[in-house]
Amino acid sequence: MRFLLVTATDLELAPLVDRLTLVSPSSDSLRGFAHASHHVDVLTTGVGMIATATWCARVLAQQQYDLAVNLGVCGSFDPACPPGTVVNVVTDCIPELGAEDGDRFLTVQQLGLLGPDDPPFAGGRLVNPQAPANRVIATLRPGNGITVYTVHGNDRSIARVAERFKPDVESMEGAAFMYACLVAGRHFAQVRAVSNMVERRNRAAWRLAEAVAALNDVALRLIEEA
């Protein structure tokens, strides 16, 4: 199989990359590896939706892949998804995309700028239409994501976004990756490991090393068991 693994930072996939055999050195942000008879391209986009969307669109236009996987850490809104949990994000959205109307927030769909089912959206969200044929991904807890420019750390804003969008997790890249894959018509999955609960910023409570270890364990197994 030919995999595209997309990550925002080198840190998030460093343990996996150390297990792969380099085939082609870095070309911009893309490196080619081999492992277990598979070809694995690793794309490091940089943080945020703009960088992720741009790099994913470029690479997906140039190369065919059997499966593209976005791998990264995330924050969790759900106590049932504590740090260390690995989630298959099956739907995502951009909660900041819209307009303020006094104390109200109107989504682009509520503004009439985009229909709820205008491609690539379904019901106002980005939805993975087909579960990847991968045994490891199939064992992961499915979740709903939101993708943000500003990570939540205020009690009032956390409560508002939780009420409006019912997210399980949040990231800064997931929706951009899913949007690019849906437009390109590629099989994909967004896999994230929880590093922290979404709360007032509390670095002491983060479990980044645990999340990265769990994420890379899943990443290695999804390649080897493909």
Side-chain angles (χ1 to χ4, degrees), residues 28 39 101 116 142 151 204 215 225:
D28 294 324
H39 183 92
D101 181 14
V151 171
L215 179 71
E225 298 183 27

Side-chain angles (χ1 to χ4, degrees), residues 50-73:
I50 293 174
T52 300
T54 302
W55 280 109
C56 285
R58 177 178 176 177
V59 171
L60 290 172
Q62 293 175 337
Q63 179 64 56
Q64 291 288 332
Y65 293 97
D66 297 298
L67 181 63
V69 187
N70 184 203
L71 294 149
V73 297

Side-chain angles (χ1 to χ4, degrees), residues 179-200:
Y179 198 113
C181 289
L182 287 164
V183 169
R186 305 299 173 83
H187 294 299
F188 69 90
Q190 184 190 163
V191 175
R192 297 202 169 269
V194 175
S195 61
N196 59 281
M197 302 306 295
V198 177
E199 59 186 356
R200 184 162 182 166

Side-chain angles (χ1 to χ4, degrees), residues 60-143:
L60 290 172
Q62 293 175 337
Q63 179 64 56
Q64 291 288 332
Y65 293 97
D66 297 298
L67 181 63
V69 187
N70 184 203
L71 294 149
V73 297
C74 64
S76 173
F77 290 84
D78 186 352
C81 293
T85 305
V86 183
V87 179
N88 174 21
V89 181
V90 294
T91 78
D92 213 317
C93 68
I94 307 170
E96 296 159 313
L97 185 60
E100 291 182 335
D101 181 14
D103 291 332
R104 298 173 63 216
F105 179 84
L106 303 174
T107 67
V108 287
Q109 287 84 10
Q110 290 169 326
L111 290 168
L113 299 176
L114 189 69
D117 297 311
D118 284 353
F121 290 90
R125 298 186 66 88
L126 297 164
V127 179
N128 194 338
Q130 182 177 350
N134 185 283
R135 290 174 294 178
V136 174
I137 294 175
T139 66
L140 301 178
R141 177 190 175 106

